């Protein structure tokens, strides 16, 4: 279970994953060694999974963002599931792949440089065994794009 100090450390790292232990210690009122120990425990527990870089897609020429729902035949559920997962894992333009409830099997987040690239991905998806339909929503603008839950909503020990 996380305590208030863990939440504060996580909030610092979510704001800037390159923040050093000294700066975090000043923010949360702990020594550098105590902060490092806390971070190592959070990493060991799998609460902190990785540190990464967040790119601005538009600034690197990836102007098209879309969400694609993928549906399939119930008789070929296992086969189509595996094929969609393998395709998503191999396609660098698919940045998220989620198994979902409802009429569709998956929802994919796709970031591409053009509508032509998106059309190609849709065609490839539609040709996978067991896939019967795709439903695409194009993102017009984004006002929130967090990477994981906020430290504010994490459960804290009393």
């Amino acid at each position: 279970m996380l305590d208030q100090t863990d939440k504060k450390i996580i909030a610092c790292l979510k704001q800037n994953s390159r923040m050093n232990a000294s700066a975090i210690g000043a923010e949360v009122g702990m020594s550098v060694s105590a902060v490092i120990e806390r971070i190592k425990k959070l990493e060991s527990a799998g609460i902190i999974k990785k540190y990464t870089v967040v790119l601005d897609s538009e600034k690197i020429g990836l102007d098209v963002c879309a969400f694609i729902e993928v549906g399939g035949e119930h008789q070929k559920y296992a086969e189509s599931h595996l094929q969609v997962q393998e395709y998503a894992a191999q396609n660098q333009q698919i940045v998220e792949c989620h198994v979902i409830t409802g009429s569709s099997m998956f929802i994919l987040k796709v970031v591409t440089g053009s509508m032509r690239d998106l059309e190609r991905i849709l065609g490839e998806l539609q040709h996978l065994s067991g896939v019967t339909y795709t439903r695409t929503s194009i993102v017009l603008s984004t006002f929130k794009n967090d990477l994981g839950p906020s430290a504010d909503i994490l459960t804290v020990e009393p």
Side-chain angles (χ1 to χ4, degrees), residues 1 118 120 126:
M1 205 47 107
L118 178 60
R120 178 188 47 77
Q126 291 163 348

Side-chain angles (χ1 to χ4, degrees), residues 4-5 23 35 41 50 63 68 70 76 81 86 88-89 98 102 116 131 139 142 147-149:
Q4 277 304 124
T5 304
V35 168
K41 284 182 182 177
K50 68 179 180 178
D63 296 339
I68 303 171
V70 179
K76 294 186 177 182
H81 245 249
E86 287 175 354
H98 306 276
R116 186 176 309 284
V131 171
V139 175
T142 301
L147 301 175

Side-chain angles (χ1 to χ4, degrees), residues 1-2 38-49:
M1 205 47 107
L2 302 172
R38 289 277 188 132
I39 291 172
K40 284 182 181 178
K41 284 182 182 177
L42 292 166
E43 291 169 344
S44 295
I47 293 168
I48 296 176
K49 292 173 68 171

Side-chain angles (χ1 to χ4, degrees), residues 37-157:
E37 184 178 322
R38 289 277 188 132
I39 291 172
K40 284 182 181 178
K41 284 182 182 177
L42 292 166
E43 291 169 344
S44 295
I47 293 168
I48 296 176
K49 292 173 68 171
K50 68 179 180 178
Y51 301 90
T52 191
V53 172
V54 178
L55 302 175
D56 184 321
S57 298
E58 289 181 15
K59 288 184 180 176
I60 59 172
L62 300 174
D63 296 339
V64 178
C65 180
F67 288 89
I68 303 171
E69 287 185 49
V70 179
E73 299 175 43
H74 292 294
Q75 301 89 327
K76 294 186 177 182
Y77 180 81
E79 181 182 345
S80 57
H81 245 249
L82 184 59
Q83 286 205 8
V84 172
Q85 288 174 346
E86 287 175 354
Y87 178 78
Q90 294 170 7
N91 189 317
Q92 297 301 306
Q93 294 173 305
I94 298 174
V95 296
E96 293 181 26
C97 176
H98 306 276
V99 176
I100 59 172
T101 62
S103 58
S104 299
M105 299 183 302
F106 292 93
I107 190 161
L108 310 175
K109 181 178 180 183
V110 178
V111 180
T112 71
S114 69
M115 293 300 285
R116 186 176 309 284
D117 287 341
L118 178 60
E119 183 179 15
R120 178 188 47 77
I121 291 169
L122 285 167
E124 290 171 356
L125 282 166
Q126 291 163 348
H127 282 91
L128 295 177
S129 177
V131 171
T132 57
Y133 71 88
T134 59
R135 188 173 12 243
T136 305
S137 297
I138 307 290
V139 175
L140 299 176
S141 63
T142 301
F143 70 94
K144 183 175 182 178
N145 188 16
D146 285 344
L147 301 175
S150 167
D152 294 337
I153 64 169
L154 300 175
T155 306
V156 178
E157 290 180 351

